[in-house]
């Protein structure tokens, strides 16, 4: 089949190339006939070509190129991704699912920045996605209808109609796709934030960029005073819009996966009961009379992605076991659970497990696919379900990545706001302390009117020079002044003053003499 395509596509090229070689070997130039019988060289005709002819030629080349790519894509689908044409090819459903997944990875990648898609990339995404989704136009179902005959009588006939799940979900997914691309387009001319390579940023800050969890992503930078109010409102508005897209895509993907058939090889790998799958601790908490899903999630160790995925696998396995045992109970009328577990409790346990799965999906939106989901996708034979599942999954991943990039910008803005507030608080505290110190100094140094000092009560009078020493108390200064008085007097001796005891001694000595 591939060789036949190759001969058909290469034949026109080899034919024109052979004619050109024949002309060159004969030593004559290539000529074209004109209406008047004369011949004009082909290069003159090329010069005389009009711009419209050049545009038409380019359009034909583009269409030829698109046709070549489309043939290649569908050849891979028909061969089941086994280009050898052997028996190792996968089913058409899985081939379509892988094709949509690979196309999304090549167009969006990791979505490292909040920026629009390149026009060429956006055109390729829409064009090749339309090729892959064109299959759903031919997935139909028969529905009864009435047809009026020539004689006016109505005849009931069966007509074709697109399958209901595709008729509802494909337009919805296309709308979600457009919303995500429009969200990226809104950041086309923004200048309030920019990106710096992580290795450059960590080099400036003397850090090791390899230790970061998202070391491959660039660092978001915002102005020193934070984002403008308009940009902040735009980011929160787009975040709400993308969150709604994520919820819708997740819901569609969950419904499609739930409708897929559970493969027999997965069922054979399950343990005999749900308790063995969950473990004693988890089983006891889920089957307890009082069950709080928030508390259940809070005490679990979900520190790594591997632990989250392991919990998801165990809960899904237990749900499959419980469903199968309930179905056997309804069919055979025999319980394999024991007499202590009623049908209502089994349904309650399943609802609780489903609630935990939903909470895990919301808390960890980018968690890898579980063992049950991978098994369903690989063994699925329904092409319509394969397209719905893969399309909703890639939109879910894209929405999650855009939300992460928006959160990066908002987190950088919040960090700058905290730094600005901390600096303002520091300046305020410093100014307040300085103001309180100055006020205290004023109160201490200022003299209160109509106040009397200790020197006023004692009767001391200080000179004007003494008042200059304001830093010294009145008593200290007076004591110092009294000590300095003898030094200030003249050197002439003053009459000696006798004490009362001295006078008595003198009187006694005088009486003894008489």
């Amino acid at each position: 089949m591939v060789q036949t395509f190759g001969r058909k596509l290469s034949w026109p090229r080899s034919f024109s190339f052979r004619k050109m070689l024949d002309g060159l070997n004969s030593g004559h130039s290539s000529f074209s006939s004109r209406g008047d019988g004369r011949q004009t060289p082909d290069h003159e005709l090329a010069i005389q070509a009009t711009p419209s002819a050049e545009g038409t030629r380019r359009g034909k080349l583009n269409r030829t190129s698109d046709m070549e790519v489309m043939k290649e894509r569908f050849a891979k689908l028909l061969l089941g991704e086994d280009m050898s044409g052997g028996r190792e090819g996968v089913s058409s459903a899985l081939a379509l699912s892988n094709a949509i997944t690979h196309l999304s990875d090549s167009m969006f990648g990791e979505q490292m920045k909040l920026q629009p898609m390149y026009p060429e990339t956006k055109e390729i995404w829409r064009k090749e996605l339309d090729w892959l989704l064109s299959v759903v136009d031919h997935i139909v179902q028969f529905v009864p209808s009435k047809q009026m005959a020539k004689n006016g009588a109505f005849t009931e006939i069966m007509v074709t109609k697109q399958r209901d799940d595709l008729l509802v979900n494909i337009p919805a997914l296309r709308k979600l796709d457009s919303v995500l691309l429009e969200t990226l387009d809104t950041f086309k001319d923004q200048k309030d934030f920019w990106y710096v390579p992580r290795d450059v940023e960590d080099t400036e800050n003397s850090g090791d960029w390899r230790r970061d969890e998202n070391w491959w992503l660039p660092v978001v930078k915002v102005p020193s005073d934070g984002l403008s109010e308009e940009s902040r409102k735009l980011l929160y508005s787009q975040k709400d819009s993308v969150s709604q897209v994520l919820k819708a895509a997740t819901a569609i993907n969950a419904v499609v996966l739930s409708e897929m058939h559970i493969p027999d090889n997965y069922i054979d790998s399950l343990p005999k009961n749900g308790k063995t799958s969950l473990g004693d601790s988890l089983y006891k908490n889920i089957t307890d009379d009082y069950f709080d899903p928030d508390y259940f999630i809070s005490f679990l160790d979900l520190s790594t992605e591997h632990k989250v995925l392991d919990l998801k696998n165990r809960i899904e396995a237990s749900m499959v076991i419980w469903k199968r045992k309930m179905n056997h109970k309804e069919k055979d009328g025999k319980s394999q659970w024991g007499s202590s577990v009623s049908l209502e409790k089994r349904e309650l346990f399943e609802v609780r497990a489903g609630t935990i799965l939903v909470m895990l999906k919301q808390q960890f939106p980018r968690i890898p696919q579980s063992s049950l989901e991978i098994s369903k996708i690989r063994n699925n034979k329904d092409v319509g379900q394969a397209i719905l599942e893969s399309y909703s999954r890639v939109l879910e991943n894209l929405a999650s990545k855009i939300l992460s990039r928006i959160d990066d910008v908002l987190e950088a803005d919040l960090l700058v706001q905290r730094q600005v507030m901390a600096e303002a608080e520091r300046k305020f505290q410093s100014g307040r302390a300085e103001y309180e110190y100055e006020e205290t100094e004023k109160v201490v140094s200022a003299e209160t009117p109509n106040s009397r000092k200790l020197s006023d009560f004692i009767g001391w009078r200080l000179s004007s020079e003494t008042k200059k020493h304001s830093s010294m108390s009145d008593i200290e200064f007076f004591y110092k002044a009294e000590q300095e008085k003898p030094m200030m007097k003249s050197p002439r001796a003053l009459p000696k003053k006798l004490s009362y005891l001295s006078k008595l001694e003198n009187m006694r000595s005088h009486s003894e003499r008489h």
Side-chain angles (χ1 to χ4, degrees):
M1 180 186 297
V2 178
Q3 294 178 356
T4 305
F5 281 149
R7 285 196 299 269
K8 288 184 178 179
L9 293 175
S10 60
W11 166 248
R13 297 180 184 177
S14 60
F15 179 76
S16 59
F17 186 67
R18 187 181 298 110
K19 288 197 299 183
M20 184 180 67
L21 288 177
D22 293 342
L24 290 175
N25 292 332
S26 59
H28 300 285
S29 301
S30 178
F31 289 90
S32 299
S33 300
R34 298 177 55 178
D36 54 1
R38 294 179 297 171
Q39 291 181 333
T40 304
D42 285 346
H43 69 275
E44 292 186 9
L45 287 178
I47 295 175
Q48 297 174 3
T50 61
S52 59
E54 183 68 21
T56 304
R57 187 180 299 108
R58 289 180 180 177
K60 290 181 179 179
L61 291 176
N62 291 335
R63 286 194 297 271
T64 303
S65 176
D66 291 345
M67 186 66 67
E68 296 287 340
V69 175
M70 186 172 66
K71 287 180 178 180
E72 180 184 358
R73 296 287 187 273
F74 280 95
K76 290 182 179 179
L77 294 177
L78 291 173
L79 294 172
E81 300 179 353
D82 182 13
M83 305 311 294
S84 65
R87 299 180 180 180
E88 301 298 328
V90 299
S91 63
S92 300
L94 183 57
L96 268 173
S97 177
N98 293 338
I100 295 175
T101 303
H102 296 333
L103 176 62
S104 173
D105 293 340
S106 61
M107 294 296 105
F108 300 105
E110 194 62 32
Q111 195 60 41
M112 298 184 179
K113 301 179 181 179
L114 278 181
Q115 61 183 11
M117 294 180 65
Y118 293 108
E120 298 82 2
T121 307
K122 185 187 297 184
E123 182 181 359
I124 294 174
W125 162 254
R126 288 177 171 171
K127 178 175 60 180
E128 296 196 11
L129 184 64
D130 287 341
W131 294 346
L132 298 175
L133 296 182
S134 62
V135 180
V136 301
D137 296 333
H138 305 279
I139 301 177
V140 296
Q141 60 183 0
F142 287 99
V143 294
S145 180
K146 292 183 179 180
Q147 183 180 19
M148 187 176 64
K150 294 182 179 180
N151 58 0
F154 287 94
T155 306
E156 187 171 318
I157 59 174
M158 300 295 290
V159 296
T160 58
K161 174 188 173 184
Q162 191 176 23
R163 215 167 69 183
D164 291 338
D165 57 342
L166 302 176
L167 186 63
V168 173
N169 291 322
I170 290 297
L173 291 174
R174 285 186 178 274
K175 179 62 177 178
L176 298 179
D177 188 355
S178 300
V179 171
L180 293 179
L181 296 184
E182 291 172 2
T183 299
L184 293 176
D185 290 338
T186 56
F187 300 102
K188 180 179 181 180
D189 298 324
Q190 68 80 26
K191 298 180 181 179
D192 281 355
F193 60 89
W194 60 95
Y195 294 89
V196 177
R198 186 168 294 273
D199 54 348
V200 176
E201 173 67 14
D202 290 345
T203 302
E204 295 177 356
N205 297 331
S206 301
D208 188 2
W209 56 274
R210 296 177 183 84
R211 297 181 181 178
D212 199 316
E213 182 180 358
N214 298 325
W215 55 267
W216 63 90
L217 296 177
V219 180
V220 184
K221 289 291 184 179
V222 297
S224 58
D225 56 348
L227 297 173
S228 63
E229 192 64 26
E230 181 180 357
S231 296
R232 197 173 292 115
K233 289 181 179 179
L234 175 63
L235 284 170
Y236 279 109
S237 174
Q238 297 301 326
K239 182 178 180 180
D240 293 339
S241 177
V242 177
S243 298
Q244 297 299 323
V245 173
L246 178 60
K247 291 180 181 179
T250 303
I252 294 175
N253 186 263
V255 171
V256 175
L257 283 173
S258 64
E259 294 176 350
M260 286 186 180
H261 176 69
I262 301 177
D264 294 336
N265 55 2
Y266 177 82
I267 295 175
D268 296 337
S269 65
L270 296 177
K272 294 183 179 180
N273 52 61
K275 184 176 181 179
T276 305
S277 176
L278 288 173
D280 294 337
S281 178
L282 294 178
Y283 180 80
K284 181 179 179 181
N285 283 276
I286 290 180
T287 59
D288 193 11
D289 293 337
Y290 177 77
F291 175 76
D292 185 2
D294 294 326
Y295 175 76
F296 180 85
I297 293 292
S298 63
F299 87 88
L300 294 175
D301 183 11
L302 304 177
S303 56
T304 62
E305 185 180 86
H306 174 73
K307 293 180 179 179
V308 177
L309 183 59
D310 180 66
L311 175 62
K312 184 179 179 182
N313 287 330
R314 288 194 285 170
I315 292 178
E316 286 184 343
S318 63
M319 290 179 64
V320 173
I321 295 171
W322 293 340
K323 283 183 179 180
R324 287 181 58 81
K325 289 189 175 183
M326 283 189 292
N327 292 334
H328 287 304
K329 162 76 174 176
E330 293 174 357
K331 292 180 180 179
D332 303 336
K334 297 180 181 180
S335 175
Q336 300 181 12
W337 281 66
S339 58
S340 61
V341 181
S342 63
L343 182 62
E344 291 77 10
K345 284 190 176 182
R346 297 169 192 171
E347 294 177 352
L348 178 61
F349 298 160
E350 184 184 350
V351 171
R352 290 177 177 180
T355 303
I356 297 172
L357 286 179
V358 173
M359 294 178 65
L360 288 176
K361 191 72 173 179
Q362 293 175 354
Q363 189 172 351
F364 304 96
R366 299 187 65 180
I367 183 175
Q369 292 176 325
S370 63
S371 301
L372 176 60
E373 293 171 346
I374 295 176
S375 180
K376 283 184 174 182
I377 294 172
R378 286 180 177 177
N379 294 273
N380 176 49
K381 305 299 181 182
D382 192 315
V383 176
Q385 287 183 343
I387 293 176
L388 289 177
E389 189 280 327
S390 58
Y391 194 14
S392 60
R393 173 163 40 84
V394 299
L395 294 181
E396 181 182 349
N397 292 335
L398 178 59
S400 177
K401 293 174 184 177
I402 295 176
L403 277 181
S404 298
R405 302 294 82 80
I406 294 177
D407 288 337
D408 292 342
V409 178
L410 293 176
E411 184 178 355
D413 177 55
L414 182 60
L415 181 61
V416 171
Q417 289 183 18
R418 289 176 178 174
Q419 294 176 352
V420 172
M421 292 178 63
E423 182 67 19
E425 181 68 17
R426 188 187 64 80
K427 291 182 179 179
F428 175 76
Q429 293 295 343
S430 177
R432 182 178 179 180
E434 184 177 355
Y435 173 77
E436 291 178 352
Y437 177 76
E438 292 177 356
E439 289 296 320
T440 305
E441 288 292 323
K442 290 180 181 179
V443 171
V444 171
S445 61
E447 295 182 358
T448 307
N450 301 326
S451 63
R452 301 182 69 183
K453 300 180 181 179
L454 180 60
S455 60
D456 296 335
F457 289 100
I458 299 177
W460 294 340
R461 295 292 183 267
L462 303 179
S463 62
S464 59
E465 293 183 1
T466 306
K467 294 180 181 180
K468 295 179 181 179
H469 301 79
S470 58
S471 62
M472 193 180 304
S473 65
D474 294 339
I475 297 177
E476 291 176 353
F477 186 78
F478 180 77
Y479 177 74
K480 184 177 181 181
E482 287 295 327
Q483 288 180 343
E484 293 177 353
K485 277 183 179 181
M487 299 174 61
M488 297 173 63
K489 292 181 179 180
S490 62
R492 187 180 58 179
L494 296 176
K496 185 178 180 181
K497 293 184 179 180
L498 299 177
S499 64
Y500 178 73
L501 295 175
S502 299
K503 290 180 179 180
L504 289 177
E505 290 291 335
N506 291 334
M507 291 176 64
R508 181 180 300 174
S509 63
H510 181 70
S511 61
E512 288 177 355
R513 286 198 301 267
H514 293 283

